[in-house]
Amino acid sequence: MHRFRGTRIVYDLGNGYVLKLAKSKKGIKCNRMEADLYRSTKESLKRHLAEIKSHDPSYRWVMMKKYSTAFPNRPAYRRKLKHLVERLRASGITPSKGVGRYNTPYAPNLRLKRNKEIVVIDYGGFHYTLDR
């Protein structure tokens, strides 16, 4: 089973992980952003980024943990998301519009962990400027 995205194809591997395959140079750029950001972000923020299990050295693919619980787009969770976005920005990480617009978030980019923490499953469109 797979989902089509604009720059990447996402395959559910059926073992608790997904594989994001780049379809274009922009897809490779997104995979690189996710791998680099996950590798270099401090633990207190990293726990809100989908775990990257492995990636291709040329960033043609990344393997990430799969999170199934949908983001409940309710006021309490939008407040939690606002707090997360503020913490990301304070660390020099600019979320993509879908996550950064916490009043009207693009919920397919967000999930919940078992402990009800928000996790971003697509952060290839993020940007960073400072040390994390």
Side-chain angles (χ1 to χ4, degrees), residues 4-48:
F4 291 97
R5 297 215 181 252
T7 61
R8 302 182 284 179
I9 299 173
V10 181
Y11 290 94
D12 183 344
L13 299 176
N15 62 357
Y17 291 92
V18 296
L19 188 70
K20 295 181 177 182
L21 292 175
K23 293 181 0 184
S24 64
K25 288 181 182 179
K26 187 173 181 184
I28 291 171
K29 184 178 175 183
C30 289
N31 283 348
R32 182 179 190 150
M33 172 58 69
E34 287 181 340
D36 289 350
L37 192 59
Y38 187 79
R39 180 177 45 244
S40 63
T41 299
K42 57 187 169 184
E43 288 299 321
S44 62
L45 288 174
K46 183 185 285 191
R47 71 177 196 241
H48 294 285

Side-chain angles (χ1 to χ4, degrees), residues 59-111:
Y59 304 102
R60 296 201 176 278
W61 57 264
V62 293
M63 184 187 308
M64 301 176 107
K65 185 172 179 178
K66 181 180 177 181
Y67 300 88
S68 299
T69 305
F71 176 75
N73 197 353
R74 297 191 306 257
Y77 282 95
R78 286 193 299 271
R79 283 191 297 276
K80 287 182 179 187
L81 180 59
K82 178 182 179 184
H83 179 67
L84 174 58
V85 167
E86 289 169 350
R87 290 179 53 218
L88 288 167
R89 288 187 174 139
S91 293
I93 301 168
T94 304
S96 59
K97 292 177 188 174
V99 174
R101 293 183 181 158
Y102 45 81
N103 287 325
T104 57
Y106 183 63
N109 287 352
L110 303 166
R111 295 287 188 273

Side-chain angles (χ1 to χ4, degrees), residues 96-125:
S96 59
K97 292 177 188 174
V99 174
R101 293 183 181 158
Y102 45 81
N103 287 325
T104 57
Y106 183 63
N109 287 352
L110 303 166
R111 295 287 188 273
L112 291 184
K113 291 183 175 183
R114 289 182 186 193
N115 64 1
K116 305 297 183 197
E117 277 189 329
I118 296 171
V119 64
V120 182
I121 63 168
D122 184 356
Y123 47 98

